[in-house]
Amino acid sequence: MPHIAGFASWHQYLLTWQLDIIVGQKRLTNVAVVRYKKKGKRFEVACYKNKVLNWRNGVEKDIDEVLQATTVFGNVSKGTLAKHEDLVDVFGTGDEEKICRIILAEGDLQVSDKERQLELDSLFKDVASVLSEKCINPDNNKPYTISMLERALKDVHFSVDLHRNAKQQALEALPILQAKFAIKRALMRLQIQVPQSCKAEAIELLAKLEADVETKDFSASQMTITCLVEPGHFRQIHSWVQQSSEGQGRLEVVSLAAIDDTDTSAAFDSATPQHLQSPTTSAAAPDGAAADPTAAKAISNSGFVAPSQALPTRRNAPAQSSSREEANLGEVIYPRGSISGLPEAHASRKERFAELEDLQRGWEVELRGRKGGTTVDAFFFSPTGESVGAFVNARRAALKASKH
């Protein structure tokens, strides 16, 4: 057997040759595949993960940052290239960059289970965010927090669809939530300006639509009305203004959602009544008073009040004085005690309030129902025994203490 220069033996030469083949192979791993099928043929392009959606949304403009290679494959995992004849037959061109752009725009993105779950979780949060922006608690005209709406959507077993946008699915989820919780679409605040000749017709239309008229301003030639209406009535009012006023009317959207956003930290936490300001105040129930077991049941795991148990609806929640708050204070549902001791009926609150224990140990909470309703208020006491009121105040104090 002849000697090969640079190698001690044929065995060393063959081993080196095999290693060169293995090292020289270029495998397309850790890629996102976009698949396109037409005329019974399959075409694929290899992309960087998380870049395809950026390309489709217009965030990424450079195609080289999206594609791993400007090549059209028949099968990416096997590394087989698409035939030139098939490309011309299906796309009418052999320019692979143009074809890659078509596949990126119209093809199906193949994602892993983890990636699909991340997309579902993101869309689920977007749906809850839309509901938080457009819906309110009818008892106090305040919006619900996103976390509360997420728990509520899980309570009603609502699932999202990746092929539809968040707003469409939020509008579909609203009737489902309304069947179980006290929630409604926030009213839209409009300002209507029409000639005096349309005065009677305008008032009749708003009465028919059950609009809440806030202000009326009459001048020599025009009438201006500010009102609250259901969002679904906007098109009808807009069409009437255009047709009836003969181009002299004007419709302005003052607010897409008329909400009271003075404090949105917690839908059921309110300011501490005056008599609870002293740290020496007893947190036990009054003599002869017993905790109402039905009050706890009226609160779901998401923190919502069932609509059948809800307080009467009011459009605007006026600020209440401390004396009125004290008058509305009901029976003790959970006497002053540790957060970890909250009953299972308040599991969602227990989970949310546990953050205080992580920040600073020793916090206590007391739950009280309001008279004439099923709303439950939470009052917090610091590790030193000081009454701080609602959860937002307690969290602020705990965060401050944790930094020292």
Side-chain angles (χ1 to χ4, degrees):
M1 184 175 293
H3 177 73
I4 300 177
F7 296 93
S9 64
W10 271 94
H11 176 72
Q12 184 183 7
Y13 170 76
L14 290 173
L15 180 61
T16 305
W17 179 71
Q18 290 174 348
L19 287 173
D20 285 341
I21 291 177
I22 295 171
V23 172
Q25 287 180 343
K26 295 181 180 180
R27 295 183 179 275
L28 287 169
T29 58
N30 194 31
V31 299
V33 178
V34 180
R35 184 174 297 160
Y36 184 86
K37 289 183 178 181
K38 193 173 183 180
K39 294 186 177 181
K41 299 180 177 66
R42 185 176 73 177
F43 305 95
E44 297 179 348
V45 291
C47 309
Y48 293 104
K49 288 191 174 183
N50 304 324
K51 285 291 185 178
V52 178
L53 294 179
N54 290 346
W55 172 267
R56 291 179 174 178
N57 294 334
V59 176
E60 182 61 63
K61 303 293 184 181
D62 188 359
I63 195 170
D64 292 330
E65 294 293 327
V66 180
L67 296 175
Q68 298 235 8
T70 313
T71 306
V72 181
F73 293 85
N75 190 309
V76 170
S77 60
K78 294 182 180 179
T80 57
L81 302 179
K83 297 180 181 179
H84 180 76
E85 296 81 4
D86 293 341
L87 296 177
V88 175
D89 178 41
V90 174
F91 299 99
T93 179
D95 188 338
E96 294 200 8
E97 183 174 338
K98 290 183 179 179
I99 296 172
C100 286
R101 290 177 181 271
I102 295 173
I103 295 175
L104 280 174
E106 303 177 10
D108 296 325
L109 176 62
Q110 310 299 307
V111 296
S112 65
D113 292 340
K114 288 185 178 180
E115 290 174 317
R116 184 176 290 105
Q117 187 59 46
L118 285 174
E119 290 184 28
L120 288 170
D121 292 343
S122 177
L123 182 58
F124 190 84
K125 193 174 186 69
D126 289 343
V127 171
S129 178
V130 172
L131 287 169
S132 180
E133 293 173 1
K134 297 184 178 297
C135 300
I136 58 171
N137 177 357
D139 296 339
N140 53 24
N141 207 40
K142 294 180 184 292
Y144 286 111
T145 62
I146 295 176
S147 58
M148 290 182 68
L149 287 164
E150 285 180 338
R151 291 195 296 270
L153 289 170
K154 290 176 182 178
D155 283 352
V156 298
H157 307 291
F158 183 79
S159 57
V160 295
D161 184 357
L162 289 174
H163 300 290
R164 306 175 64 199
N165 63 50
K167 184 177 179 181
Q168 289 178 331
Q169 298 187 69
L171 293 176
E172 285 186 3
L174 182 57
I176 302 174
L177 291 174
Q178 286 176 327
K180 191 173 182 181
F181 305 120
I183 184 173
K184 73 168 187 175
R185 183 83 180 268
L187 299 177
M188 179 183 288
R189 181 175 282 112
L190 302 177
Q191 188 176 76
I192 306 171
Q193 292 182 353
V194 291
Q196 284 285 3
S197 58
C198 302
K199 173 183 174 181
E201 191 176 351
I203 295 175
E204 181 182 352
L205 174 65
L206 294 178
K208 179 182 176 182
L209 298 179
E210 298 181 354
D212 185 359
V213 178
E214 294 182 323
T215 62
K216 293 180 183 179
D217 184 18
F218 300 97
S219 63
S221 60
Q222 279 194 332
M223 177 185 70
T224 303
I225 299 176
T226 303
C227 60
L228 297 174
V229 299
E230 294 286 345
H233 296 153
F234 174 77
R235 291 184 183 275
Q236 183 177 352
I237 297 174
H238 182 260
S239 300
W240 175 83
V241 171
Q242 287 183 324
Q243 296 171 6
S244 301
S245 62
E246 299 178 354
Q248 299 180 14
R250 182 168 174 261
L251 178 62
E252 179 182 351
V253 178
V254 179
S255 175
L256 289 172
I259 59 177
D260 179 7
D261 55 358
T262 53
D263 181 13
T264 60
S265 58
F268 299 102
D269 292 338
S270 61
T272 310
Q274 203 68 23
H275 75 285
L276 286 180
Q277 294 296 328
S278 172
T280 58
T281 302
S282 173
D287 293 337
D292 184 3
T294 61
K297 293 179 181 178
I299 309 297
S300 73
N301 288 335
S302 62
F304 283 78
V305 182
S308 59
Q309 306 285 343
L311 296 174
T313 301
R314 58 181 184 273
R315 295 253 170 91
N316 296 305
Q320 297 185 5
S321 63
S322 59
S323 60
R324 185 172 178 180
E325 287 174 349
E326 184 172 351
N328 285 336
L329 196 64
E331 297 174 331
V332 174
I333 294 177
Y334 176 69
R336 178 176 170 179
S338 65
I339 295 174
S340 60
L342 284 170
E344 286 302 316
H346 301 280
S348 61
R349 287 179 174 232
K350 182 178 179 180
E351 179 184 352
R352 180 158 58 97
F353 297 162
E355 181 184 1
L356 296 179
E357 289 294 322
D358 296 336
L359 295 172
Q360 184 186 18
R361 292 190 175 277
W363 280 91
E364 294 181 324
V365 64
E366 176 180 321
L367 300 183
R368 281 178 173 266
R370 292 186 186 177
K371 289 183 179 179
T374 56
T375 300
V376 177
D377 292 321
F379 304 108
F380 290 86
F381 300 87
S382 69
T384 61
E386 180 184 1
S387 174
V388 298
F391 176 68
V392 62
N393 300 328
R395 186 176 183 275
R396 189 182 297 116
L399 280 171
K400 186 177 179 180
S402 66
K403 294 178 181 178
H404 294 298

